[in-house]
Structures are given as structure tokens and as C-alpha cells.
Amino acid sequence: MDVMAWLCSLGLGQYEQAFREHDIDAEVLMDLTAEDLIGIGVASIGHRRKLLAAIAALRDGSISARTPANAASAAISWKASLAPEAERRQLTVMFVDLVDSTALAA
């Protein structure tokens, strides 16, 4: 798993350099805590919460970050998991207006 691409997909690409400087890879990422994020320079509470929520999703199995051989397929499945829960379906509506239908309905 490419941690830098993961950060960019979260909209937090500004932390790429900090993650590189502190040698945070896919294995280390799974064990990061709020204190670790503060230590590497993530000052914003909102950014820390967003990162911790995304890390929790990784732990739950959205992506197998510990298997680099499947990183490409994991990234694809992770992007698919970002899609909204609702699905889009086509619907066909047909309207028929019969002559004297009011009398027929009675």
C-alpha cells in the first residue's frame, strides 16, 4: 500500500513529508495513535480525527495494508469502499391515459 497516495486520497497530502521523515509505512500506519500524529506534526484536531478514522477502516479490513503484493488490488477495493452505500438503478415509468378512463374507474 502506498501511504503517500493514501494521504492524498484523504485530502491530507500536506503531511506526506512528515510521514516520510518519520518513516511511516503501511505496517507502522496501522498502529498510529493520536499521540503519534501529534508527534509528527498533525496539529489540526480535524485532520487527526480524519486520519484515525481512516486508519480504523484499514484495521477493520477495508485494505490489507500488511500484504504489499496485493497493494494494487487493495487500493482499488479501498476506492470502491469509498463509494456511497446507495446504488443507482434505472427506473422506467409508463403513463397510459385511456379515453373515458374516469367512467371506467367508477
Side-chain angles (χ1 to χ4, degrees):
M1 177 184 145
D2 183 10
V3 175
M4 302 316 148
W6 177 77
L7 278 172
C8 289
S9 72
L10 293 173
L12 300 171
Q14 67 265 32
Y15 298 112
E16 284 186 46
Q17 187 63 32
F19 274 57
R20 279 194 188 102
E21 288 174 2
H22 290 45
D23 301 315
I24 297 173
D25 59 8
E27 283 186 48
V28 174
L29 179 68
M30 300 294 274
D31 298 322
L32 285 181
T33 64
E35 292 80 21
D36 295 333
L37 293 174
I38 292 169
I40 64 171
V42 181
S44 168
I45 293 172
H47 289 175
R48 282 197 307 267
R49 289 205 178 263
K50 188 183 277 190
L51 283 165
L52 290 171
I55 291 168
L58 290 175
R59 282 190 201 122
D60 290 341
S62 296
I63 300 178
S64 176
R66 300 186 191 268
T67 57
N70 296 331
S73 63
I76 292 168
S77 68
W78 182 69
K79 285 183 181 180
S81 73
L82 291 178
E85 294 297 318
E87 65 181 54
R88 197 177 278 214
R89 293 186 180 187
Q90 288 187 343
L91 174 68
T92 303
V93 177
M94 186 170 85
F95 177 76
V96 178
D97 185 20
L98 298 173
V99 177
D100 295 330
S101 62
T102 307
L104 290 173

